Amino acid sequence: MSDITEANKRAWNANASSYDSKPWQQKVVTQITEAIHAHATWLGLTSSPPKDRIRLLDYACGPGTVTRALLPYITEAKGIDLSEGMVAAYNERMSTESLPSHMTTPPSAAEGNLFAREPTPSLSEEGYSDFDVAAVGLGFHHFENPALSVQRLAERLRPGGVVFIIDLLPPSEDPNSTGDFVAHHRAHGHGHGHGHSHAHDHGTEHAEPAPELDQNAKDILASIHQDGFTSADMELLFSNAGLVDFGYVTLEEPLHMEMLGHQAVRTPFFAKARKPMA
């Protein structure tokens, strides 16, 4: 297991029980949920309840934010996460969720890594392929190999299915960004240092050293592989995976978050592309 994968697993196990417990986190969940509903037709989800079988793969699922947002439009959902804590949170929430009548089976999540050199064997079992939508909600910047990640997600789609990524603009391209806190902390030696010094620190390289971080904050920092993606970044990743009909939108309302002890404002985007018909 790579350093980034280990940091991700530790960080999200530590935060599974409090992932969306703070007011700012709840606001982010509400914003993302409302935006998904507003873009359902854009994703090709044209009816609620759905007229046909619609299967969702919610990767890096956390406690199930994307799954819950898409419940009006899907008939089945599978979650996958590196973190057993997040898998437990997903399954617990889905066991008490008021599911729409068109859901054929309750959503469920499993622990696993689809992006390892050899994916978790259980993910080859029946039920983990032929999805209509493969989604990643605010987790893509934690993936060590974004190109391989998109390719592996695309492989799990049926022909005509859609890869759907929710993530953040890079601070350097984000008109709402309040500063590159990830770069600032890395420039001062925090985190585990996996080769991404991010010297483009937007004026922070000569600032006073940041306070020492605790282990959980270091793990979160070390788990971030690339702090945001442009439209061009995503289009190239999708194209190289053989996907077509690329779409990319930034959301009007930025997200107000807490990052590494700072208040952070970041602009989210939705990116999608479709697996060609056979």
Side-chain angles (χ1 to χ4, degrees), residues 29-219:
V29 169
T30 297
Q31 287 177 254
I32 294 300
T33 299
E34 291 176 350
I36 288 174
H37 291 167
H39 288 82
T41 300
W42 181 79
L43 287 169
L45 303 172
T46 57
S47 63
S48 175
K51 297 178 181 178
D52 302 304
R53 186 188 191 201
I54 303 293
R55 304 184 66 241
L56 168 69
L57 171 60
D58 187 351
Y59 195 84
C61 62
T65 298
V66 172
T67 296
R68 294 200 305 276
L70 288 175
L71 286 177
Y73 308 96
I74 62 175
T75 58
E76 301 175 37
K78 291 282 190 182
I80 300 174
D81 205 289
L82 285 173
S83 161
E84 61 266 29
M86 286 298 192
V87 168
Y90 181 107
N91 287 331
E92 180 180 357
R93 292 191 184 191
M94 292 305 161
S95 70
T96 59
E97 185 80 17
S98 179
L99 299 176
S101 60
H102 60 261
M103 296 290 293
T104 57
T105 56
S108 63
E111 181 186 350
N113 187 351
L114 189 58
F115 307 150
R117 179 175 298 179
E118 296 294 334
T120 304
S122 61
L123 301 182
S124 297
E125 296 174 359
E126 185 178 359
Y128 287 99
S129 60
D130 294 323
F131 291 97
D132 297 275
V133 180
V136 179
L138 293 175
F140 196 66
H141 56 279
H142 293 286
F143 296 166
E144 185 171 8
N145 189 332
L148 177 63
S149 302
V150 174
Q151 178 184 326
R152 292 278 175 82
L153 291 172
E155 289 170 354
R156 299 292 168 137
L157 292 174
R158 64 162 180 79
V162 171
V163 174
F164 172 39
I165 306 293
I166 306 167
D167 216 273
L168 305 169
L169 287 177
S172 59
E173 303 291 329
D174 186 348
N176 294 306
S177 176
T178 53
D180 195 339
F181 301 122
V182 171
H184 176 69
H185 282 285
R186 283 181 175 154
H188 291 90
H190 295 149
H192 298 301
H194 44 72
H196 301 278
S197 62
H198 292 260
H200 53 286
D201 200 21
H202 308 295
T204 61
E205 61 184 81
H206 301 299
E208 290 297 317
E212 185 62 29
L213 303 176
D214 63 22
Q215 186 58 52
N216 181 241
K218 288 180 179 180
D219 283 338

